[in-house]
Amino acid sequence: MTRSLRTALMVAVVALPLAACAHGKSGTAKADLAASKVTTIGVNSYLWRASLDTLSFMPLVQTDSNGGVIVTDWYVNPQVPTERMKVTVSILDQDLRADAVRVAALREVNRGGQWVAAPVAAATTQKLEDIILTKARDLRRASIAG
């Protein structure tokens, strides 16, 4: 997905919930519930955008906003050139909930010119999930406050 297409998608995902805020403060409970639901894509828009933001430094191989799947290509951190990571984020629900996002990661290390599978610390995937959830909650708060 090109950067401009990804940016346009993120703008569209954010614009709809923000437009709903322009109707005043009446029905705040309904607006709050609606803000946590899906808008124009098949999964929670805040989790989707937060996932794209969180993984923006990695090359993307696949994005499916209806199925809620983001798959990155192998990423080599320039500061650790003998290690690479590949990440898959799955958004499992239309609601903004802690159990609605799952991160899976693969890690390989370069040994003698060959990439060899290596274990991923559980804390790594948990930290990515926490970052995504925090960003999604911040996006939701910002759209409701508007």
Side-chain angles (χ1 to χ4, degrees):
M1 180 182 286
T2 67
R3 184 179 193 105
S4 61
L5 181 59
R6 187 170 60 210
T7 301
L9 176 63
M10 288 196 289
V11 168
V13 167
V14 172
L16 284 173
L18 290 176
C21 293
H23 297 299
K25 295 292 182 186
S26 64
T28 304
K30 287 183 183 177
D32 188 41
L33 179 61
S36 70
K37 294 286 187 180
V38 171
T39 54
T40 60
I41 59 176
V43 296
N44 184 278
S45 60
Y46 302 115
L47 287 172
W48 180 255
R49 178 160 178 225
S51 298
L52 287 174
D53 287 351
T54 301
L55 299 177
S56 64
F57 68 97
M58 300 179 85
L60 300 179
V61 171
Q62 176 187 357
T63 57
D64 177 6
S65 61
N66 287 320
V69 177
I70 300 169
V71 181
T72 72
D73 201 354
W74 289 104
Y75 170 75
V76 177
N77 182 338
Q79 296 175 344
V80 189
T82 59
E83 179 178 299
R84 66 183 187 176
M85 296 280 296
K86 185 174 190 170
V87 176
T88 300
V89 174
S90 301
I91 301 171
L92 308 171
D93 201 333
Q94 295 181 348
D95 292 324
L96 177 51
R97 303 174 356 170
D99 62 351
V101 63
R102 287 287 171 258
V103 174
L106 297 173
R107 179 174 165 256
E108 291 183 344
V109 293
N110 194 328
R111 293 208 178 106
Q114 290 279 28
W115 289 105
V116 179
V120 177
T124 302
T125 55
Q126 183 63 49
K127 181 69 173 170
L128 282 170
E129 288 175 3
D130 291 345
I131 290 168
I132 291 168
L133 285 166
T134 299
K135 283 185 182 196
R137 290 178 185 128
D138 290 345
L139 290 168
R140 181 173 176 258
R141 271 190 222 104
S143 73
I144 292 172

